[in-house]
């Protein structure tokens, strides 16, 4: 195993370099393509501070409207997609280790349904709900709903003083059903068709509302959360050896799992609050990363982060261009890719049997 880990760590810098190059290429494509197509060379000039370049899209001598499109419209969206994709992939990687189940996903624990329910309440009922928050009401409600759902799942899974994998998964499914039903009820009660359209788009996931002013919190959650999780790579590796093996090696699995679960929940809650319900990123990317660098989390987490950023950036590019001028929710694109992948995983997984554990 030590030899395998050494090989993975040797390979990791090369994999990270390739993924970083892929992320730059996908970001340039995301900035260049859309209803208005901008030559990639001009995109690079604008981004690197050429004519018309600069935050805010100042109309320089040659940038003109292209500079405004790149900096004010597309750049925040590309950056948010990269941050959310990286965070969901890292969260999925860690959750799969915590519950020792290859089908674990950030949305398995109710974060998506909770965030959707919170956002829907504000969108439909307006200023009467969290009116004091102004323009931040929807993200704040989504974050509160996401965290409330995650706390409920964790509390139910910890019944009796212990938390089993099966109980955690079943608690997440139950909470998702209840909150999805609440969201559907509020949609039915929506007074205006435009409200229903807005809510439907948000619940399917979308990055169209990205703004420069809204990037700081998701980026901070990603950077701090990922740094802390990489620092915990060795205990995460011990969990892969099983409860008895981890105990033997000195890990208090109960406390460690609870602490990492809370940390991961916070990261997921912040990301979902700004992106809506984008599924399957945290399921697919960790598996692809393991095929390349193995299961050691010191190498796996940074590779998964970059892989998730590339995947969601490209998925959002497809969402913006596939049916132009109409826009497809990016959650639909990830579901079209992730659904067949999930079915394939479900078929080959032997851990889905006896899930009530």
């Amino acid at each position: 195993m030590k030899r395998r880990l050494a090989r993975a760590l040797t390979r990791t810098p090369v994999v990270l370099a390739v993924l970083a190059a892929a992320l730059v290429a996908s970001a340039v494509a995301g900035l260049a393509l859309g209803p208005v197509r901008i030559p990639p060379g001009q995109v690079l000039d604008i981004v690197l501070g050429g004519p018309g370049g600069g935050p805010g899209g100042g109309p320089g001598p040659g940038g003109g409207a292209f500079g405004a499109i790149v900096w004010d419209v597309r750049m925040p969206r590309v950056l948010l997609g990269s941050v959310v994709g990286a965070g969901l992939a890292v969260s999925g990687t860690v959750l799969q280790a915590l519950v020792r189940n290859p089908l674990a996903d950030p949305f398995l624990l109710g974060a998506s349904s909770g965030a959707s329910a919170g956002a829907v309440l504000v969108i439909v009922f307006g200023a009467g709900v969290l009116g004091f928050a102004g323009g931040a009401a929807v993200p704040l409600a989504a974050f509160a709903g996401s965290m409330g759902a995650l706390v409920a799942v964790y509390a139910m899974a910890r019944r009796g003083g212990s938390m089993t994998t099966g109980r955690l998964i079943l608690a997440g499914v139950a909470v998702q059903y209840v909150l999805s039903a609440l969201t559907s009820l509020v949609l039915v009660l929506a007074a205006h068709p435009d409200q229903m359209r807005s809510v439907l788009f948000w619940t399917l996931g979308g990055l169209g509302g990205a703004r420069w002013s809204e990037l700081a919190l998701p980026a901070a959650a990603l950077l701090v959360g990922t740094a802390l999780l990489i620092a915990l790579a060795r205990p995460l590796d011990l969990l892969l050896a099983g409860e008895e093996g981890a105990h033997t090696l000195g890990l208090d699995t109960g406390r460690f799992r609870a602490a990492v679960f809370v940390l991961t929940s916070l990261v997921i809650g912040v990301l979902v609050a700004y992106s809506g319900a984008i599924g399957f990123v945290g399921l697919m990317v960790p598996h692809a990363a393991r095929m390349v660098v193995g299961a050691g989390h010191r190498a796996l987490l940074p590779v998964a982060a970059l892989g998730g950023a590339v995947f969601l950036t490209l998925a959002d590019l497809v969402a913006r261009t596939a049916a132009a001028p109409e826009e497809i929710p990016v959650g639909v694109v990830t579901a079209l890719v992730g659904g067949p992948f999930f079915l394939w995983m479900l078929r080959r997984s032997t851990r889905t049997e006896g899930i009530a554990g």
Side-chain angles (χ1 to χ4, degrees):
M1 180 169 177
K2 287 184 178 180
R3 190 174 300 171
R4 242 186 349 254
L5 180 59
R7 281 200 303 267
L9 291 175
T10 303
R11 193 186 310 129
T12 301
V14 177
V15 175
L16 290 174
V18 171
L19 286 173
L23 180 57
V24 171
S26 61
V28 171
L31 296 174
L33 300 177
V36 176
R37 300 206 169 195
I38 306 173
Q42 190 162 357
V43 168
L44 292 176
D45 285 341
I46 293 171
V47 171
L48 296 177
F66 284 171
I69 291 172
V70 168
W71 281 104
D72 290 345
V73 179
R74 294 181 183 171
M75 183 68 81
R77 182 167 184 156
V78 168
L79 291 176
L80 181 61
S82 299
V83 167
V84 172
L88 293 178
V90 167
S91 300
T93 302
V94 172
L95 289 176
Q96 288 169 12
L98 288 180
V99 303
R100 300 185 64 225
N101 191 308
L103 300 179
D105 175 85
F107 298 94
L108 175 72
L109 303 182
S112 174
S113 298
S116 297
V120 165
L121 286 171
V122 170
I123 292 172
V124 172
F125 295 113
V129 181
L130 295 180
F132 64 89
V138 172
L140 182 60
F143 173 72
S146 176
M147 284 304 303
L150 290 166
V151 169
V153 169
Y154 184 74
M156 287 189 288
R158 286 283 297 176
R159 182 175 54 84
S162 63
M163 181 174 64
T164 65
T165 297
R167 193 181 297 156
L168 183 67
I169 293 173
L170 291 176
V173 171
V175 169
Q176 284 189 54
Y177 274 121
V178 172
L179 291 173
S180 294
L182 174 62
T183 302
S184 299
L185 175 62
V186 175
L187 274 173
V188 170
L189 298 176
H192 305 291
D194 58 330
Q195 286 181 335
M196 184 172 293
R197 180 178 175 82
S198 175
V199 167
L200 181 62
F201 191 87
W202 195 94
T203 57
L204 294 174
L207 303 172
R211 301 289 182 270
W212 282 105
S213 59
E214 297 176 351
L215 290 176
L217 185 56
L222 170 67
L223 293 175
V224 174
T226 302
L228 290 174
L229 291 170
I230 290 176
L232 298 172
R234 184 176 179 276
L236 286 171
D237 290 342
L238 293 180
L239 280 181
L240 299 178
E243 296 287 333
E244 292 184 5
H247 272 302
T248 302
L249 294 171
L251 179 66
D252 186 338
T253 56
R255 290 187 178 181
F256 176 75
R257 185 177 275 118
V260 177
F261 176 77
V262 170
L263 173 61
T264 308
S265 299
L266 288 171
V267 174
I268 295 170
V270 172
L271 297 178
V272 171
Y274 286 88
S275 68
I278 302 174
F280 294 104
V281 178
L283 176 68
M284 293 185 291
V285 174
H287 287 285
R290 282 191 199 94
M291 293 178 187
V292 179
V293 296
H297 287 83
R298 183 180 170 190
L300 181 60
L301 287 172
V303 169
L306 275 179
V310 172
F311 174 74
L312 194 56
T313 300
L314 292 176
D316 187 54
L317 177 60
V318 172
R320 289 193 288 116
T321 59
E326 293 295 324
E327 183 174 318
I328 303 171
V330 69
V332 173
V333 176
T334 60
L336 289 174
V337 178
F341 181 87
F342 178 79
L343 292 175
W344 174 72
M345 283 295 301
L346 191 64
R347 182 172 181 178
R348 71 187 291 268
S349 175
T350 58
R351 299 189 184 190
T352 55
E353 298 178 10
I355 196 173

